Amino acid sequence: MNRICLQKKNITRKDVAEKAGVSVSVVSRVLNNSGYVDKEKKKKIIKIAEQLGYIPNPIAMALQTRRTYQIIFFCNDLTGAYYNQMYHGMAKTAKERGYHLLLQKDYDFESVKKILADGIIFPTENVAQDYAETVGKNYRLPTVTISFDPSAIFAKPMPSVVIENQKIINASIDYLIQKGHKKIGMLLPFDYGYANSRYKAWKERMKMESIFLGGGVETNYEHYIINCGKPEEENKKKDYRYLGPYQSESEGFVYYDLFKVGYEAANLYKSSKYKATALICFNDDLAQGFIAGLQEIGLRVPEDISVMGIDGIFTRNHFKPKLTTMSIYPERQGAKCVEVLIDMLEGKKYKYMNYSPYGILEGETVKDLK
């Protein structure tokens, strides 16, 4: 039996030239970005090449169309589940819309001049502002950032996906009060940056509770703060690159380790004179480490103390007891950043302020005192 194999013809520059009614040399000048060709003729040749399925040199095509379909995400550390999930949300959405996500691990902003990309996403407003005040002044790629501070002002207006820390903390406190808790504290890895914004929101709300509810809420609410920050960090507060005592190492791999900080904080709680009945932790990693540390020293969660996180990362499914947390949906944050950026690139309508959703994910770490 004879078998006939049908193969798709490879499209050549000659095919493009014949279809466009020009010489092969003209097509080559257009696709290689070398030599002069009338602007309208360029557009026509590029369109025909795309229609025929011609596969040109991607760099040459990017130079011609001024579109690379690549996006840069600056993020110094993906070892934590929060930014890992955010990254996956970005990558998935970028792929769905025909783009490719590039991870730039170090905050070397000069590198954007060497990378073919259409736009940039930043993990915090501090990183975004640093870029805007340096390379971004003259290198005008469209940018979007995650923001933990709704009041952040940039050197140049920049769309943001905003995490509203005040609403997140208020909703967390509401939940704990509904469960009968009055001595509500906070566990912080440090008291600057976006940890400070959560601390300030907690402090403002607990102050109001002590005033309006009188004896219903502990007046000296600040007794219930556990701050794991170190005095030597004082001069480093404005440097988002500084990891200080929060670094761990495994076979030469250095990573950001708030689980360890939370684990060590268990002893701070045990030795503290004033003990909260419930602690809101800065994030889920800190909360999981804190619970593990409490278990190690013989304290039970939630029987001896209730613990609540903020983030809603997937790792809570692998710990016992299962963490109760205020989810801020990191995958959705990442997806929204990509959606806004691509809408900018494609000339579609977009908002400058995009608010991230949040909601309670109930687990087993908060005791109902009622």
Side-chain angles (χ1 to χ4, degrees), residues 53 98 115 125 138 185 279 332-333 352 369:
I115 301 172
E125 67 274 7
N138 301 313
L279 277 175
R332 296 189 200 178
Q333 292 166 15
Y352 272 89
L369 296 182

Side-chain angles (χ1 to χ4, degrees), residues 10-25:
N10 289 327
I11 302 299
T12 66
R13 292 187 180 192
K14 183 179 178 181
D15 298 319
V16 177
E18 289 177 355
K19 181 76 173 176
V22 299
S23 67
V24 175
S25 62

Side-chain angles (χ1 to χ4, degrees), residues 38-52:
D38 176 73
K39 185 177 179 180
E40 291 304 315
K41 190 175 287 186
K42 276 185 179 181
K43 288 183 179 179
K44 179 182 176 182
I45 291 170
I46 290 171
K47 185 176 181 180
I48 289 171
E50 290 176 345
Q51 288 174 343
L52 292 177

Side-chain angles (χ1 to χ4, degrees), residues 195-234:
N196 185 48
S197 67
R198 289 180 183 172
Y199 163 64
K200 285 166 64 177
W202 171 87
K203 183 177 179 180
E204 181 180 326
R205 171 62 185 275
M206 293 308 296
K207 182 178 181 180
M208 289 176 58
E209 292 294 337
S210 67
I211 291 172
F212 293 115
L213 297 182
V217 172
E218 173 60 50
T219 303
N220 296 319
Y221 51 89
E222 288 200 73
H223 287 158
Y224 303 115
I225 280 286
I226 298 178
N227 186 353
C228 304
K230 311 291 183 183
E232 62 267 25
E233 297 165 39
E234 195 64 31

Side-chain angles (χ1 to χ4, degrees), residues 331-345:
E331 281 192 62
R332 296 189 200 178
Q333 292 166 15
K336 189 63 179 179
C337 283
V338 169
E339 288 172 2
V340 173
L341 182 56
I342 294 177
D343 284 346
M344 293 173 67
L345 296 172

Side-chain angles (χ1 to χ4, degrees), residues 48-265:
I48 289 171
E50 290 176 345
Q51 288 174 343
L52 292 177
Y54 173 74
I55 303 176
N57 181 301
I59 295 177
M61 282 299 289
L63 290 170
Q64 281 297 316
T65 62
R66 297 188 183 278
R67 294 283 291 280
T68 68
Y69 297 95
Q70 296 192 136
I71 297 169
I72 301 171
F73 176 42
F74 276 99
C75 189
N76 199 36
D77 184 37
L78 285 184
T79 56
Y82 177 79
Y83 279 116
N84 197 297
Q85 282 185 240
M86 185 186 291
Y87 172 79
H88 280 274
M90 290 180 184
K92 180 182 178 183
T93 304
K95 183 178 180 181
E96 288 172 351
R97 295 192 61 172
Y99 285 73
H100 180 66
L101 185 68
L102 304 175
L103 176 65
Q104 192 68 1
K105 187 179 182 299
D106 298 317
Y107 295 132
D108 175 16
F109 300 136
E110 290 290 330
S111 65
V112 301
K113 299 176 181 179
K114 305 172 186 176
I115 301 172
L116 287 173
D118 298 327
I120 306 172
I121 299 173
F122 300 104
T124 70
E125 67 274 7
N126 292 332
V127 182
Q129 183 65 11
D130 195 3
Y131 172 84
E133 293 176 350
T134 53
V135 174
K137 280 186 176 181
N138 301 313
Y139 203 73
R140 301 183 181 278
L141 281 178
T143 54
V144 174
T145 187
I146 293 289
S147 178
F148 295 87
D149 181 3
S151 66
I153 299 175
F154 302 100
K156 178 183 176 184
M158 186 182 304
S160 303
V161 176
V162 181
I163 290 89
E164 297 179 280
N165 281 315
Q166 188 165 25
K167 289 185 178 180
I168 288 164
I169 293 297
N170 280 334
S172 301
I173 292 173
D174 286 341
Y175 177 80
L176 292 172
I177 288 176
Q178 289 168 8
K179 295 292 183 180
H181 292 273
K182 299 174 183 177
K183 298 179 180 180
I184 302 171
M186 244 196 127
L187 176 59
L188 300 168
F190 40 77
D191 60 359
Y192 54 92
Y194 54 95
N196 185 48
S197 67
R198 289 180 183 172
Y199 163 64
K200 285 166 64 177
W202 171 87
K203 183 177 179 180
E204 181 180 326
R205 171 62 185 275
M206 293 308 296
K207 182 178 181 180
M208 289 176 58
E209 292 294 337
S210 67
I211 291 172
F212 293 115
L213 297 182
V217 172
E218 173 60 50
T219 303
N220 296 319
Y221 51 89
E222 288 200 73
H223 287 158
Y224 303 115
I225 280 286
I226 298 178
N227 186 353
C228 304
K230 311 291 183 183
E232 62 267 25
E233 297 165 39
E234 195 64 31
N235 295 325
K236 310 274 188 168
K237 288 186 176 182
K238 295 183 179 180
D239 186 358
Y240 56 82
R241 295 176 175 86
Y242 174 66
L243 297 182
Y246 313 112
Q247 293 183 124
S248 288
E249 183 177 326
S250 176
E251 298 182 0
F253 175 63
V254 178
Y255 58 98
Y256 195 57
D257 192 356
L258 286 187
F259 184 95
K260 178 183 176 183
V261 176
Y263 185 88
E264 294 174 348

Side-chain angles (χ1 to χ4, degrees), residues 301-314:
V301 176
E303 291 82 1
D304 297 320
I305 179 173
S306 292
V307 177
M308 188 171 174
I310 298 173
D311 274 351
I313 56 179
F314 72 92

